[in-house]
């Protein structure tokens, strides 16, 4: 049964993690120097700084807008 249960586990969708927010995101904040990306739903202020270098993060919206957050 080891092979069958391994195949079944591989075909099941991944479980939702509890650390993700159920809040809808409208974009993400980026640090282009460090490559850090934070969803707007995860950020507590309107003017966040990069946790790695301290520079101001740039807000970019969804892929279908002018500033792609992909």
């Amino acid at each position: 049964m080891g092979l069958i249960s391994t195949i079944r586990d591989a075909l099941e969708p991944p479980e939702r993690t509890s650390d993700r927010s159920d809040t809808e995101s409208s974009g993400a904040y980026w640090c282009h120097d460090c490559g850090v990306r934070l969803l707007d739903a995860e950020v507590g202020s309107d003017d966040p700084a990069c946790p790695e270098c301290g520079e101001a993060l740039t807000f970019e919206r969804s892929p279908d807008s002018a500033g792609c957050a992909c």
Side-chain angles (χ1 to χ4, degrees):
M1 292 289 281
L3 178 63
I4 293 173
S5 63
T6 301
I7 293 171
R8 182 178 38 231
D9 291 343
L11 296 176
E12 289 181 2
E15 293 181 22
R16 285 190 61 155
T17 57
S18 61
D19 63 341
R20 292 201 49 152
S21 173
D22 289 335
T23 307
E24 186 75 22
S25 174
S26 61
Y29 289 95
W30 286 86
C31 177
H32 295 285
D33 293 335
C34 299
V36 172
R37 176 182 178 263
L38 300 172
L39 288 177
D40 64 336
E42 299 172 348
V43 177
S45 70
D46 290 335
D47 191 22
C50 176
E52 293 190 17
C53 70
E55 292 293 319
L57 297 175
T58 305
F59 183 73
E60 297 179 356
R61 300 195 188 286
S62 64
D64 58 347
S65 68
C68 179
C70 45

